[in-house]
Amino acid sequence: MRILPLTRRGMLSLPAALALPRGTAAQLGPGRFAAIAYHEVGADGRDRHYSISESMLVQHLSFLRQDGWHFVGIDALLAARNGRRPLPDKALLLSFDDGYEDYATRVFPLLRAFDAPGVFALVTSWMETPAGGTFDYGGTPMPRRSLMSWAQARQMQASGLCEFASHSHDLHRGVPANPQGNVQPAAVTRICDGARYETDVAWQRRIETDLGRASGIMARELGRRPRCIVWPYGRYNMEAVGIARRLDMPVAMTLDPEPTGPGELDRVGRLLAMSDPAVRDIARALRFDGAMRERVLHVDLD
């Protein structure tokens, strides 16, 4: 198998051939596409539940290219939805959640090397954390430096390969869901203060205000509003989808591990890559004959 030459400074040097599995023989259905959700991309040997090593990501991209997958972006999805241009066979969307700094330093050079577009989801409340400060990541204080800067995001966007999506402003967290204090994702939960539940009207106002704020911040920093919402934890309902659509985000990404048709862009399913999955695991998942069902959860959702 041929590996694209990776000669840019700071990129990995890999063997010219890798022992990769046989093709996926994916049967997505007419006009349908697959999507993969990645999180942190770190140095080899780092053990994080939702991370993948840089060398393994190179293997993923190499295998996908060799296996006949065509990397597509939001423009291609919207063109297919609007009947302007059909998607290629075995179309694949790459997405990267949470806005980590290693997306700018590790993933962006790889996307340029493979000429592959990617969608990057930003939590704007985290991005607005002052330099030297911390943000709350599921109850753990995380340093601002673990995220990309707005300047890095602008550079990535200017390449034409990287599109930035909203991951909400402050919905990437859990909220009290019942009098017992059990926590559920903020985007789909009517908050319980111990005695009363949030009304439907109050919930709708909270979600619309949050997504609108995120969209405004991204317009200010990146010069354009997001066309895509990536639901925190992959959790959504059709009321929230309607709010996103009214805010000019026709594309909404979930963690439902299934292929998607161009007419279903308000519920794009994604396969979750976690715990440094080997290429054989990605190949098996992309056959969609027993897809992974595990969702990303950064909070305790009892």
Side-chain angles (χ1 to χ4, degrees), residues 27-41:
Q27 298 294 325
L28 301 182
R32 299 179 73 79
F33 66 94
I36 300 177
Y38 291 101
H39 284 71
E40 289 178 282
V41 178

Side-chain angles (χ1 to χ4, degrees), residues 158-237:
S159 72
L161 286 174
C162 303
E163 174 141 354
F164 287 90
S166 172
H167 210 18
S168 83
H169 180 70
D170 191 31
L171 299 177
H172 201 294
R173 59 189 178 91
V175 296
N178 56 36
Q180 292 73 41
N182 298 112
V183 172
Q184 291 293 321
V188 295
T189 302
R190 271 58 170 177
I191 297 173
C192 180
D193 64 5
R196 293 183 301 274
Y197 287 89
E198 187 176 32
T199 67
D200 289 347
V201 171
W203 171 84
Q204 182 176 353
R205 184 184 307 115
R206 175 168 61 86
I207 301 306
E208 190 161 4
T209 298
D210 182 281
L211 298 186
R213 184 175 182 184
S215 182
I217 291 171
M218 294 179 70
R220 183 192 73 205
E221 295 293 342
L222 300 176
R224 63 183 68 170
R225 293 182 181 273
R227 299 185 291 177
C228 174
I229 174 69
V230 176
W231 297 114
Y233 318 115
R235 301 291 293 275
Y236 69 103
N237 56 42

